Amino acid sequence: MVDDRVTSKRHAGFVTALAVLLHFPSYLRPFMDIDESSFAAIGCRLLAGGRVYHDGVENKTPAVFYVYKAVYAVFGRYNMVAIHVAVTLAAVATAFVVGAIARRYAGERAGRWAAASYIVFSAAYYPKMLAGNAEMFAVLPAALAVWCYLRARDRNALWYLAAGA
């Protein structure tokens, strides 16, 4: 049992370190994608009391603007390094959820591969993948909804409420 916990902690450390390594270029470059500049401006406008789709217009889900607002409220306006760290943390959390889903149906090894693969493929291909875009923040709640749905199906129907939320 102790060995399983140590192995799990090592894997979590590996996934986190891999995410930081692959996302590191975004810590050095303020804007990885043009959408980030819009999100940043609208997030700062919200901090000043503005309203979504009234004082700033963008065709993305309003949740991303509130993520930017929250990060800026804690770390300062236009702090894109903090946004990129938030993206990295969202990717790590999503990887753990994806790993938990895979582990539930295909075993421990599949869970580890799924988590590591999510980190690699969510940060690979081209630099815009590292940006603080709506998609990177939306995948975590979507993965959590799937995880809750699967728990409800296998254990307790109350998890359907969590999936829907």
Side-chain angles (χ1 to χ4, degrees), residues 139-158:
V139 176
L140 178 58
L144 284 168
V146 170
W147 183 80
C148 289
Y149 167 79
L150 295 172
R151 279 187 70 93
R153 196 181 71 176
D154 294 344
R155 292 189 181 168
N156 184 342
L158 289 176

Side-chain angles (χ1 to χ4, degrees), residues 79-104:
N79 188 338
M80 292 308 294
V81 172
I83 292 292
H84 293 152
V85 169
V87 169
T88 304
L89 294 174
V92 169
T94 304
F96 291 149
V97 174
V98 168
I101 293 167
R103 182 172 39 257
R104 181 179 195 88

Side-chain angles (χ1 to χ4, degrees), residues 33-40 58-60 68 132-133 135:
D33 184 40
I34 194 167
D35 288 347
E36 287 183 312
S37 59
S38 296
F39 300 159
E58 174 62 72
N59 64 350
K60 305 293 188 206
Y68 272 69
N133 285 328
E135 296 83 1

Side-chain angles (χ1 to χ4, degrees), residues 6-86:
V6 170
T7 303
S8 293
K9 287 181 181 178
R10 283 186 184 155
H11 178 68
F14 169 75
V15 167
T16 303
L18 183 62
V20 169
L21 176 70
L22 293 176
H23 284 258
F24 188 75
S26 72
Y27 306 153
L28 304 175
R29 185 173 173 194
F31 292 102
M32 299 297 293
D33 184 40
I34 194 167
D35 288 347
E36 287 183 312
S37 59
S38 296
F39 300 159
I42 294 170
C44 286
R45 188 72 179 136
L46 292 176
L47 275 176
R51 295 178 293 165
V52 174
Y53 301 121
H54 182 269
D55 297 312
V57 179
E58 174 62 72
N59 64 350
K60 305 293 188 206
T61 174
V64 71
F65 309 128
Y66 290 107
V67 170
Y68 272 69
K69 177 186 176 185
V71 170
Y72 290 162
V74 174
F75 298 103
R77 293 173 183 257
Y78 296 105
N79 188 338
M80 292 308 294
V81 172
I83 292 292
H84 293 152
V85 169

